[in-house]
């Protein structure tokens, strides 16, 4: 039983997202403080959560924004992020999205292919502008994370491969409306083994050397995001930004005047969010008991899509009897299950559940499938 949360939520219609703004503030302050030690620049990966109060809180702390679509760019700017601190990434930027970003004079386009460079150059030329651009290079570093969220291997669709770089330089020479300002890397998400980042730094050093030997020194090294969070002990947990940034500071070989940028999503917002849901029914099967919640894969798809673990807490029950349940959603799909054989205090219809660590890639991945109702988010 969690009396504090129970009192807060008892009278509200469920399901809804709940954000602990105090934890968000602490997390952001800690990340910023650690990054400031080395003058590192932080961009928030808007895709992790674009809830308005969250975006406002992050922009007010002086973070830049990392966006992957025209609407993300627009939303970020509306929420207070300065266009001069917006980077626009993604393998498939449409002409309309590129044009809108050019009109806003964003900081940088992270380019992922030769053809994209040509298109941005053409569109910038038509506007009489020069687009600041970073090349997203696929460093072929294994992030040791779930195969669906690994991005830095040569078999992934992301970035420009090393063997394409000669061609890229040829195209850049002819692209008068592109200014190459940076190199961008992102190897994947939910990375908890920090040696992957150390490996990334050594790849970046080698790649920088390649450019250096061709008399090219870019101003910006963007090391992407990917720092993972602890889904197994989430309460009040703030990721180890100190160690993460220390690794980049110790192992990246920078040229004078070079800036290091990051695009963090999950590590900044993951732990501050929970999904609150009510038990609709208890069904006792022959071999299993089911606790059927009013939230399912339409409100939080991570367990179903990536077999991701989220801690579940029955915040209503004070029973000392422990029973195993499959905790499932109401959606017409067998995969709509949050946890199997989970030991919980005896659970009854009407109990409230808190599904933790849902601040990143939770609310943003909500779908209208089955047309369920998600109630407005609550904030502490
Ligand atoms: N930069 C780029 C180029 C990215 O593709 C991503 C995430 C980030 C930064 C932010 O990464 P983070 O710091 O959040 O790990 N829906 C999946 C995660 C997909 C991540 C996509 N890219 C999930 O729920 O685990």
């Amino acid at each position: 039983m969690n009396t504090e949360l129970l009192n807060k939520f008892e009278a509200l219609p469920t399901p809804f997202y709940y954000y602990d703004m105090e934890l968000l503030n602490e997390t952001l302050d800690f990340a910023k403080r650690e990054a400031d030690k080395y003058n590192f620049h932080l961009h928030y990966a808007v895709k992790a959560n674009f809830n308005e109060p969250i975006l406002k809180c992050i922009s007010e702390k002086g973070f830049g924004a990392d966006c992957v679509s025209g609407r993300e760019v627009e939303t970020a700017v509306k929420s207070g992020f300065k266009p001069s601190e917006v980077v626009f990434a993604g393998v498939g930027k449409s002409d309309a999205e590129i044009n809108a970003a050019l009109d806003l004079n964003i900081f940088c386009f992270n380019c992922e292919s030769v053809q994209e460079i040509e298109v941005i150059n053409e569109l910038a030329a038509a506007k009489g502008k020069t687009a600041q651009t970073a090349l997203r290079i696929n460093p072929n570093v294994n992030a040791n994370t779930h195969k669906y969220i690994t991005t830095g291997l040569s078999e992934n669709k992301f970035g420009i491969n090393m063997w394409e770089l000669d061609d890229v330089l040829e195209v850049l020479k002819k692209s008068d409306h592109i200014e190459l300002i940076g190199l961008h890397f992102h190897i994947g998400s939910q990375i908890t083994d920090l040696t992957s980042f150390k490996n990334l730094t050594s790849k970046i050093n080698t790649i920088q050397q390649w450019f250096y030997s061709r008399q090219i020194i870019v101003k910006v090294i963007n090391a992407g995001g990917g720092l993972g969070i602890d889904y197994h002990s989430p309460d009040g947990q703030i990721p180890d930004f100190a160690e993460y940034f220390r690794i980049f500071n110790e192992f990246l070989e920078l040229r004078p005047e070079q800036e290091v940028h990051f695009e963090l999503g999950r590590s900044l917002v993951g732990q501050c969010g929970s999904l609150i849901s009510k038990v609709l029914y208890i069904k006792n099967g022959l071999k299993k008991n089911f606790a059927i919640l009013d939230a399912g894969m339409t409100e939080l798809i991570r367990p179903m899509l990536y077999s991701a673990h989220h801690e579940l807490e029955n915040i209503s029950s004070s029973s000392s009897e422990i029973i195993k349940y499959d905790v499932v959603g109401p959606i017409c799909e067998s995969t709509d299950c949050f946890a199997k054989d989970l030991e919980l205090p005896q659970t009854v219809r009407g109990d409230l559940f808190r599904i933790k660590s849902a601040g990143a890639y939770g609310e943003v991945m909500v779908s209208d499938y089955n047309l369920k109702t998600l109630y407005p988010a609550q904030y502490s």
Side-chain angles (χ1 to χ4, degrees):
M1 188 165 184
N2 184 330
T3 327
E4 193 195 327
L5 290 185
L6 191 58
N7 290 340
K8 214 189 278 244
F9 299 148
E10 224 163 16
L12 297 172
T14 51
F16 59 87
Y17 272 86
Y18 162 65
Y19 295 104
D20 177 344
M21 298 307 273
E22 197 181 315
L23 180 60
L24 175 63
N25 273 292
E26 276 175 42
T27 308
L28 296 172
D29 289 343
F30 181 54
K32 196 91 177 57
R33 200 165 58 238
E34 291 305 316
D36 282 349
K37 282 186 184 166
Y38 314 110
N39 286 324
F40 289 168
H41 296 241
L42 294 186
H43 298 263
Y44 166 62
V46 172
K47 66 164 83 69
N49 190 315
F50 45 69
N51 187 301
E52 200 180 325
I54 295 209
L55 288 185
K56 285 216 159 109
C57 177
I58 300 175
S59 68
E60 277 162 16
K61 303 262 180 205
F63 285 70
D66 160 47
C67 302
V68 287
S69 70
R71 275 180 65 208
E72 276 197 7
V73 172
E74 193 187 313
T75 307
V77 171
K78 268 196 198 136
S79 304
F81 290 94
K82 294 195 197 97
S84 60
E85 286 172 12
V86 167
V87 299
F88 184 10
V91 280
K93 305 175 187 76
S94 74
D95 294 19
E97 290 176 317
I98 294 168
N99 275 325
L102 284 168
D103 289 340
L104 282 168
N105 297 319
I106 63 160
F107 172 60
C108 187
F109 290 85
N110 292 341
C111 270
E112 305 225 7
S113 65
V114 174
Q115 198 167 35
E116 188 190 331
I117 299 170
E118 290 168 338
V119 170
I120 296 180
N121 183 55
E122 213 175 282
L123 296 175
K127 289 181 182 290
K129 294 197 170 195
T130 301
Q132 298 201 134
T133 299
L135 300 175
R136 175 167 179 181
I137 297 177
N138 188 334
N140 201 17
V141 169
N142 195 339
N144 297 316
T145 184
H146 194 286
K147 62 176 189 299
Y148 290 175
I149 48 178
T150 284
T151 54
L153 291 174
S154 42
E155 70 215 49
N156 299 128
K157 72 179 172 188
F158 301 98
I160 297 167
N161 292 303
M162 282 304 291
W163 47 264
E164 294 173 292
L165 283 180
D166 280 316
D167 285 352
V168 168
L169 292 190
E170 281 311 305
V171 171
L172 280 174
K173 268 188 216 151
K174 292 183 253 155
S175 305
D176 295 339
H177 293 265
I178 298 267
E179 184 193 354
L180 179 66
I181 63 158
L183 301 178
H184 172 229
F185 307 86
H186 173 77
I187 54 173
S189 197
Q190 185 48 20
I191 299 168
T192 48
D193 174 3
L194 296 188
T195 50
S196 300
F197 293 116
K198 189 174 167 209
N199 296 340
L200 171 62
T201 60
S202 79
K203 265 292 165 64
I204 296 178
N205 294 340
T206 310
I207 293 169
Q208 279 241 76
Q209 199 52 48
W210 187 94
F211 279 89
Y212 199 53
S213 64
R214 286 159 182 79
Q215 283 81 46
I216 299 170
I217 303 177
V218 292
K219 187 168 146 227
V220 173
I221 298 296
N222 181 334
L227 177 63
I229 61 171
D230 188 346
Y231 282 94
H232 288 268
S233 10
D235 287 326
Q237 187 248 347
I238 295 182
D240 194 355
F241 296 108
E243 180 59 9
Y244 174 70
F245 292 130
R246 193 196 62 75
I247 289 175
F248 285 93
N249 181 59
E250 182 173 344
F251 297 106
L252 260 190
E253 289 159 12
L254 296 176
R255 313 288 181 252
E257 310 293 313
Q258 271 189 329
E259 296 174 0
V260 186
H261 292 223
F262 294 87
E263 317 165 328
L264 294 170
R266 184 188 322 262
S267 51
L268 297 174
V269 295
Q271 298 295 26
C272 75
S274 306
L275 177 61
I276 309 297
S277 175
K278 194 169 281 168
V279 177
L280 292 175
Y281 302 104
I282 297 294
K283 211 163 137 175
N284 298 315
L286 273 182
K287 292 190 178 152
K288 286 202 175 262
N289 303 308
F290 294 96
I292 303 170
L293 302 185
D294 60 7
M297 60 194 283
T298 43
E299 284 68 43
L300 178 65
I301 202 173
R302 303 194 68 260
M304 301 78 183
L305 190 57
Y306 314 112
S307 310
H309 175 86
H310 285 257
E311 287 285 314
L312 292 146
E313 179 189 11
N314 180 333
I315 62 176
S316 307
S317 177
S318 51
S319 169
S320 55
E321 195 178 340
I322 301 295
I323 298 176
K324 277 188 184 170
Y325 296 92
D326 277 14
V327 182
V328 301
I331 305 302
C332 308
E333 304 260 355
S334 302
T335 182
D336 188 29
C337 175
F338 288 108
K340 282 198 160 47
D341 292 320
L342 183 66
E343 290 192 343
L344 289 166
Q346 188 178 28
T347 296
V348 297
R349 170 172 163 82
D351 281 355
L352 279 182
F353 269 66
R354 177 178 165 219
I355 306 170
K356 302 182 185 180
S357 313
Y361 308 110
E363 202 178 352
V364 285
M365 292 176 82
V366 164
S367 88
D368 255 343
Y369 183 44
N370 283 202
L371 282 182
K372 304 287 296 176
T373 302
L374 176 65
Y375 290 89
Q378 302 292 316
Y379 307 86
S380 60

